[in-house]
Amino acid sequence: MHFGFSEEQLAIQTAARRFAADRLAPGYAERDKASVLDRDLMREMGTLGLIAPELEESDDSDKVSYVTTGLIIEAIAASDFNMAYVSLLASLNGQILAEHAAPDLKDEWLARVCSGEALLALALTEPRGGSDAGSLELGMVRDGAHYILNGEKTSISCADQADAAVVFARTGTREQGAAGVSAILVPLSLPGITSTHFDDIGERSVGRGSIFFDNVRVPQENLLGSEGSGFTQVMRGFDYSRALIGLQCLGLASACLEETWAYARERQAFGKPLTAFQGVSHRLAELDTQVSAARLLCYQTLWLKDQGLPHTAEAAMCKWWAPRLAFDTVHACLLVHGHAGYSRELPFEQRLRDVLGLQIGDGTAEIMKTVIARQRVGRKAVPM
Ligand SMILES: Cc1cc2nc3c(=O)[nH]c(=O)nc-3n(C[C@H](O)[C@H](O)[C@H](O)COP(=O)(O)OP(=O)(O)OC[C@H]3O[C@@H](n4cnc5c(N)ncnc54)[C@H](O)[C@@H]3O)c2cc1C
């Protein structure tokens, strides 16, 4: 077994941490108020190679690993949870494009995404529900050299900021279920598209909203893979994003723990540092233990992906555990800071609001546990 990172990985991690601390941390709260991601910072991230570097064309020997991308997202999220979405959405959508888009489409959009010029959304959820994604209804009908889209996607991260979206729509019949779902890349500037912005409690600079499609004509070349293969593509993509989301949440949790250990050592009560009270230090020690263990699980999952080995169960474990653990960690750290932790002067309240969303986004804990159970005993033994 080998638990170390390579020299190159440590160098990228250091660069990401420095950029995040110097350039992202100062504006974390401001962007929450403005409710928008910063495009200039996105471009800086792109220039530094911090957006989906694993997607860049290179020889196999030079290829950036999935583990490395995890290190970047973890480092960025420690300073700005929301700007880490830029890398997350790029890796999730970019992988779908890299594997399934026509060459011209792939070259154009991957270059723009990795340089921080363009933001891609993933549009799967519909008003009737997100957990049962395979039964989605948004219509997609072939008309000559185009597909025509009609319907609504909802709860989409970056709905009103993204330049394009990977949209999942029904090309088959309802009876076909997931086998009738296709994926297509839709530039969001096309006629017939409108979007909204929800008034969320957290992740406000990322934002969620609905995207409405009213007879939107999309060139047939934008189809990703073949008709009917859309659902399988997104599920494979989720096996990747779930481990990255785990590290995004744990990056934030680790930052809280680091700050709180330091605070508790300095802060005095009853003539002693707070760490002298086991009610404080043992709670932090427990959370530190669990965060360390969850972090290993996330990196193991990405390592399995790097080796081309199955990792569906591990990815689902990352996704249900890390967001909840991170929320509990922020909560405990806020309380150790006493009344000061409850103020907007410190970042804990924003972190609490921000990290909560990922207990729902990308699939809830209940759905993740069903995925794990099905991996262990088969779908028939775990019917929905
Ligand atoms: C912050 C955030 C970001 C998001 N970003 C995106 C995005 O970019 N793109 C996108 O397409 N979607 C996005 N979503 C939507 C998200 O994927 C869905 O909200 C999620 O899949 C759950 O769907 P739902 O909200 O419709 O809940 P429902 O499916 O209605 O479920 C409601 C509740 O019932 C439970 N439940 C449902 N079925 C079962 C079952 N079989 N067994 C046990 N419990 C069950 C669920 O766990 C949940 O607690 C985002 C959501 C959030 C909060």
Side-chain angles (χ1 to χ4, degrees), residues 111-282:
R112 293 183 63 198
V113 165
C114 293
S115 64
E117 285 298 327
L119 194 58
L120 295 183
L122 183 129
L124 178 65
T125 303
E126 298 187 354
R128 64 190 298 276
S131 301
D132 186 9
S135 64
L136 61 82
E137 285 178 349
L138 188 115
M140 176 163 146
V141 179
R142 181 79 180 264
D143 180 29
H146 289 81
Y147 284 99
I148 301 180
L149 271 64
N150 276 296
E152 177 186 353
K153 291 290 177 186
T154 196
S155 185
I156 309 305
S157 298
C158 296
D160 65 341
Q161 301 189 59
D163 301 282
V166 173
V167 176
F168 295 85
R170 185 157 296 284
T171 41
T173 61
R174 284 187 70 171
E175 290 67 39
Q176 282 179 289
V181 172
S182 303
I184 191 162
L185 183 74
V186 183
L188 295 179
S189 55
L190 288 179
I193 296 180
T194 49
S195 60
T196 59
H197 187 104
F198 298 166
D199 188 13
D200 280 346
I201 58 169
E203 295 183 12
R204 291 181 65 83
S205 61
V206 177
R208 280 183 318 134
S210 284
I211 306 178
F212 297 91
F213 300 83
D214 182 10
N215 282 319
V216 178
R217 296 179 71 81
V218 186
Q220 64 170 18
E221 298 79 42
N222 286 26
L223 184 70
L224 302 171
S226 54
E227 278 192 21
S229 64
F231 198 70
T232 327
Q233 287 164 21
V234 73
M235 285 305 145
R236 222 172 317 130
F238 281 158
D239 282 349
Y240 182 29
S241 62
R242 285 169 184 165
L244 296 179
I245 284 173
L247 288 166
Q248 184 183 1
C249 295
L250 296 172
L252 171 143
S254 300
C256 290
L257 282 170
E258 200 179 313
E259 292 161 17
T260 306
W261 277 122
Y263 177 79
R265 190 179 51 200
E266 296 305 319
R267 176 82 172 177
Q268 300 271 322
F270 303 94
K272 294 177 192 157
L274 293 180
T275 43
F277 306 112
Q278 293 182 350
V280 173
S281 56
H282 285 192

Side-chain angles (χ1 to χ4, degrees), residues 294-308:
R295 185 172 183 262
L296 282 180
L297 175 66
C298 294
Y299 282 116
Q300 184 204 10
T301 306
L302 293 176
W303 178 84
L304 287 168
K305 182 170 170 60
D306 276 321
Q307 309 309 309

